[in-house]
Structure formats: structure tokens, C-alpha cells
Amino acid sequence: MIRLAQFFTAFSVLLSWIGPGFALSEVEMQQMLRTVDDRQRNGGDYKALCYIETKEKGKSDVVYDAVVYRRDIDDKLMILFLRPKTEQGKGYLRIDKNLWMYDPTVGKWERRTERERIGGTDSRRADFDESRLAEEYTPTYGGAEKLGKFGVHKIMLTAKDGVDVAFPVVHLWLDQTSGNVLKRQEFALSGRLMRTAYYPKWTKLFSESKNAEVWYPQEIRIYDEVEKNNSTVVLIREVDLRSLDANMFTKAWLESKSR
Amino acid sequence: MMVTLAMSFRFSCKPIYMARIAVFVWTTSTLVFHTWLQSPLYAETPERREEQIFGDETDPKNEKSQQDVGVPPDAVAPAVAAPPFDSIAAEKDMFSEDSGNGEAISRSNLMSLGEDILQIGGQLYLRSAYVIQEDAAFSDNRFLMPNLLDVYFDARPNDRVRGFVRGRLTYDPTTTGAATEPYGSSHDNPDVLLDQLWLKFDISRVVYATVGKQPVKWGTSRFWNPADILYGQLRDPLTLFDERTGLSLVKLHIPVESLGWNFYVIGMFDDAASLADVGGAFRGEFVWESVELGVSAAVRDGVKTKFGVDISAGIFDVDVYAETTVSLGVDKPVLKLPEGVDPDLVEQAAGLIEDLIKPPGVDENDTVVRIAAGLTYGIRYSDEDSLFLGGEYFFNPIGYDDKDLYPLLYALNIAQPLYVGRHYGAVYVAMPQPGSWDDTSFTLSAIGNFSDFSFLTRLDVAIRVLTYLNIEVYAAGHLGAHGGELRFGTDPLQLPTGDTVPAIAAPMVDLGFNLKLSI
């Protein structure tokens, strides 16, 4: 019996080293997160056209057209809604630790938290911003799994102390081959599952400022796990990594684009 | 029974019937299966969702591309931003057999050809209010419908030049001819106003100019904005919509993005018949960590010089804000004539009126410091919902300690709502989109004038229906001292001019119902 137990232990250890599903060490997981962050980080400026479609139970679907501007070197982010006309001019501006929302109908800026639903959709600020997983979370390994045809590593993340994030617990499914995020589940502090997001399409383009390639998801499908029938799809199009104009990331600039 | 069953079985075993049954079963099962596939029960399961997105491992026909998720990295086509020019790749792209996939001109640039540089839109705001007054019969209570239509023309030939015009039509169908306020002031009904008329452009992307009639709002407070020093008329905190029209300005904005700072230099041209009447203002905005600071000043001939400071900071779940204004003297009130009062008589009595309405202990040359400060505390009561508790205090040293002079102030239309008393306070609870009510928000607020001890409590409910239609409903109760600002009523009043203005009944309850649509 003891021999049998010893055999299974040795076999398990062997499997953990030779199989694709071997457990990742914390150092390896940190490296994977840094890779995910670095591949999406530009180091310069970033502009993308986003279409955001929301589906809610009992309501007609709404499609938003927004432009996302980033100046990664300063951690600045701006989201400006262009369409539909009723939302035109609404915007978000992140400078340092401040996230402000501008509502042109009342002409007022208000501070918002990381939990803010961008434009009332299921998306959050982090969906449009550069990835900061390694800075913000501590990983633990959840095992090797299959996601459709893809072999994935499941990594469970817990927010570091003092870091303000929308969700304190995140589960990530990373493609074992490319390292890209394919699935992401976000949990409240109570352990309740809040959102599930899928990243079925990734692409890249060359960045002169980074002198390397920058990866971005072309599509994010977000499912509200609280209001089960609500979902949001974000399509990221026309990513442009050329330098943006100076003096853009200000409240006044965003106000000047609204009514 | 057995015979019947046996006969029907023999009958149904005939080939023609067997074929019909087979067709029926196949069709029915296909329909049921198809319906099930379309049903939320099937489509919404996480497993099915992932199978649709990432492919079914067991299905060899599934063509979900490895390239989509980034494998292999080199196989992915370049996107919009151009890499360094590669002549071989470019020639291949243009002249190879599978050429024509790339876009020589970006889609957004092509789409811009089809866009009209002029956009027309606006807002339709249908408002109705019912005021239940003390000692008034139910049928005699006041009913009003101050409807409003804003229409704008917005021209953007490119992203550096913009022209904007917004006009406003107000119309109250409950009155005919001129609309009359409680104390007799009137305006045309319907009435047309110019809200905004401005041009915006930049100078080398360093200085951003806005020239013309434009809205400006300074200050951080929720209810009282003493630091909004450019406007002579401060915003009524009880209105859901800032009805003040724009100011005629030349505004130069100089941002320093690297520091998060902004500077504004402003020329003010309202009522400037000569160069000497042109006013000037300055403002600086500074961001540091989670603190934002604004410093401003305004100078104009005939108006006391004013300085303003406003600050806001996010500290954990608490937003703290404060604003103050320092005025080098007390501005004389601009007397507005009640309906039917002889202008000459008012002019003759102006000195007497100014003496009468001067707050006790306030001299025209006093330096006046007005302060508003408050905080908002966000409390998470569920995984996705928060409620916000807030409080604000306002000190107004040029306000009135008691209510004795209110009738005269109101009769002359110089009482600015919620800036009449010396001490004010407000508390509120806001619940945006509680639970599954994602289109509904509740706000319960209470405002008090602590100088005359009159109070107002109000419940606001905002609901969005049919995706675009906003409904606002409110109910407010007037409490505290009779004749106080928030429960104001008076007997007939004789003006120093000899004219008499009629009595006004104090309000008890206000009910409101508004519909708002962006068009």
C-alpha cells in the first residue's frame, strides 16, 4: 500500500513537470503577467475607435461609438463618446489617481470610482486602459484547463493591498501558447461572480515609440453575471499608435468636444 | 380497446403512413431542436458560450483560428498604424494575387467624406409643477408648465475649428400672453433666448480660444457655488437644469498637460458699450495626486473685484470639497421692476430702497468672504450598488439674519434663491440604480436656511424609459418658520413707490413631473 502511494506521488510529480498542465511557480506566473502587460503596453500614445454594443433584457440594443485616447507614459486615459447623439460629448478622464466623468447635459465633472460602468454599459475603465496585472494583483495557480480548442493556464489573482481596482479577485485563463488572455472572471469581495469577459480575437501592430509590437484585443465580450441577460460587446478598431496632439489630456479639451 | 390499438398499428404500418410519420417526426424534432438552440436556456450557458467563442474541442469542422488569439504571433496581419516603410511588403501588398485586402485610405477618413460638418440637435424638456399652498382651495393651487426647447447648430469642419449656436424657446401653456411670476415680474410667453453663440479654435495647439457667448461654471460644491464668480446670477440649487444662458467672453485656455495644470485668461464683454466696460478674469487649475485646486479672479469696472478658490479631494471613499470667494466690497443690487410699477418712481426711490434692503451690519466697502464646504461618502451596500451620503454648509455674510425684509426683496425681484440668508445647510442621500433598477435613481435631500429656520425636504426620482426618454418626478415639502425663505408667503405689500403688490400664499407641497428628450 505504501509502495502504491509512493508510486502515485512520484507519478504526480513527474506529470507536473512533463505535461502541458504542470503547475506554474509564482515567479513564472509573475513573468506571465508581466508579459501580458508588456505586450499590450505601448509606452507612447494610443488612440482607438471603439464600438460598444449593450444588450439588456426588455430593452432595445444600443450601440455606442467612442474614441479612447491613452498616453501610457503618464498613465493618462480619456474616453469620448461620439454616438448616439444622446451620449455625444460624454467623457471620462483619468489623471493620476483621479477618474472624472463629464456629463455635457449638466456641464459638470464628477469623480468616479474604478467600479464605474463606462457609459452605463458593462464595461469598466480597465477594459480600455493599458494592462497593469503584475502591478495590481498577486497570482496563484489554478491549473491547466481546456477552453474550447485551446489549452489554457488558469491563474487566480488577488488585488494587492492599497491598490484601487474594480474587482478585488480576478480569475484569468491564459492561452498556453501565446500567453494572451482568453477569458477573465471578476469577483466581488464577497466571492460573488460579477462579470465574465472573453477575448476571442487578438491582433498586433508595430509601435515606433516602443520599437516593438503592441497587442490588443479586437473584441471583448462581457457578460453580466448578476443581471444574467445583460451583456456588452466591445469592438476595438482603427488603433493608431502615432503621437497624439500635445495638451489633449485635460478637462478643457474634453469639454471643448462636447456641447 | 386492444382491437382499436391493433388496427391503428396495422394501419400506421403501411409504407406511406410510415413515411409521413418519419417526415413529421423529423420536422418536429428539427423545429424543437432549432427552437431550443435559439432559446436563452441554451444560448446563455457558460459552456455553450465558450464553445461558440473558442470552438468545440471535439468538433474537427470547427475552424476557430489559432491566429485569432495570437498564435503564431508572426502570422497576424498588420493593423492600421504603419510600420517603417518596407518596399517589398508594400509591393507584395499592392501587386500580389491576393492584393486588395489592405486599405490605402483608412475607413474613418473615407467615412468623414460622407459626414456633414454641421449637426443639428437639441433637447426637449417638458416640465409641469403643482404647488399646494397654505389656506388655498385645492382647485386654486398654482399649476405651471414651463416647457423648454433647446436647439443647436454645431459646425466642425475639422477637429481644430468649431462653431456653435444654441437657442432656447420657453413656453408655458398655462398662461396666456406674458408669463407672470408670483410678485408680478413678467417675460414674453413664448419667449426666445440666445443661450450660446461661439467659435472655438487653437493657436499652434498651445492656446485654445473660445470667442462668443458661452457657458462657464467654476466651483466644486453641489448646492452653493460662491466661487462661480463670473456670473452675476448664481445657479439656483433647486433646479434640475442650469437655465442660465452663456456669458459673452473671449476665453484663452493654456493647458500644461505634463503637470495636469490649466490656465485661463478671459475678457468679459456683456454690457460693454465701451472699452472701459470690458472686464477681465483669470483662473488656474492644478492637479496633484487626488487633489484638484482652482484659483480664480475677476475684475470689472462697476463690479467689486472678486477672488475665488475651490478645492476637491478624493480620500478613500470620501470626496471632500470646499470653495470660497473673497469680494472687495458689496455689489449694489440691480432693482427689477414689478409689473405695473412706474419706472420713474422706482428710480426716485432707489436710494431709499437700497437703504431699506441693506443687510444689517453690512457696509458697501466691506471685504466679504463666502464659504461653502461639504463631503460625499460612498457606502457599498451590495456587490454592485452604492449609496451616497452628503452634507454641505454655506456661510453668506451678506445675507439676512431674519425674514422681515424678504417681502420687499421678493417684490423687487432681487432675492436670489438660497443666497438670501446667512447660514445654510443641506444633507442628501442618493441611490443611483439600486439593485436591478438600472434605469432609476433616487435622491432624498433636505435644505435649511438656518437664519430664518425654514426648510425644504425633497425626493427626486429619475427614470429612463424606452432607452432615450428621461422622466423626472419630485415631491417637496416646505417646513419651518412661516415667511421664511423656504416657506415664503406674505400679506399685500406697499412699496416705497406707493404701489401695492398682492399677497402671496406660502407653499406647502410642490409636485413636479418632467419629461426630457435629447433630439
Side-chain angles (χ1 to χ4, degrees), chain B residues 166-351:
Chain B
R166 175 147 69 192
R168 178 168 299 160
L169 171 73
T170 60
Y171 173 60
D172 189 338
T174 62
T175 61
T176 53
T180 306
E181 299 298 332
Y183 253 135
S185 71
S186 66
H187 56 83
D188 291 338
N189 184 35
D191 198 8
V192 177
L193 299 166
L194 179 64
D195 177 28
Q196 296 179 46
L197 175 70
W198 48 258
L199 264 173
K200 196 184 287 278
F201 55 91
D202 71 74
I203 303 166
S204 301
R205 299 188 194 277
V206 174
V207 178
Y208 296 80
T210 310
V211 181
K213 193 174 173 68
Q214 56 192 286
V216 177
K217 186 186 173 301
W218 292 346
T220 53
S221 299
R222 182 185 176 96
F223 292 95
W224 292 276
N225 277 131
D228 202 8
I229 56 177
L230 293 193
Y231 272 100
Q233 178 82 16
L234 293 168
R235 180 184 176 178
D236 181 350
L238 291 177
T239 57
L240 297 169
F241 173 73
D242 190 355
E243 290 190 47
R244 298 175 302 173
T245 55
L247 299 173
S248 295
L249 310 172
V250 172
K251 184 174 74 179
L252 302 178
H253 167 218
I254 303 115
V256 184
E257 191 198 290
S258 57
L259 299 169
W261 295 358
N262 295 283
F263 299 97
Y264 302 86
V265 180
I266 292 171
M268 299 185 285
F269 293 88
D270 277 313
D271 301 321
S274 68
L275 205 58
D277 298 328
V278 176
F282 168 83
R283 180 172 170 83
E285 293 172 346
F286 311 93
V287 176
W288 181 76
E289 291 286 326
S290 65
V291 179
E292 189 180 30
L293 174 72
V295 179
S296 48
V299 182
R300 188 166 189 182
D301 194 35
V303 180
K304 303 297 181 187
T305 299
K306 293 182 181 68
F307 302 94
V309 178
D310 53 83
I311 188 167
S312 72
I315 305 169
F316 299 108
D317 288 334
V318 181
D319 284 346
V320 184
Y321 56 82
E323 61 181 74
T324 181
T325 181
V326 179
S327 175
L328 305 181
V330 181
D331 288 317
K332 285 185 180 178
V334 179
L335 304 178
K336 296 171 191 166
L337 305 182
E339 183 76 3
V341 174
D342 184 345
D344 293 335
L345 287 175
V346 171
E347 197 169 324
Q348 290 165 23

Side-chain angles (χ1 to χ4, degrees), chain B residues 315-319 375-379 387-391 428:
Chain B
I315 305 169
F316 299 108
D317 288 334
V318 181
D319 284 346
L375 55 83
T376 303
Y377 178 41
I379 303 170
L387 69 82
F388 298 90
L389 301 176
Y428 68 93

Side-chain angles (χ1 to χ4, degrees), chain B residues 151-172:
Chain B
V151 176
Y152 66 74
F153 295 81
D154 186 357
R156 305 188 199 202
N158 61 38
D159 67 347
R160 298 179 66 180
V161 180
R162 187 176 172 195
F164 189 84
V165 184
R166 175 147 69 192
R168 178 168 299 160
L169 171 73
T170 60
Y171 173 60
D172 189 338

Side-chain angles (χ1 to χ4, degrees), chain A residues 234-245:
Chain A
V234 179
L235 299 182
I236 299 174
R237 296 287 183 268
E238 302 203 16
V239 174
D240 191 339
L241 301 180
R242 288 172 294 184
S243 294
L244 295 168
D245 297 335

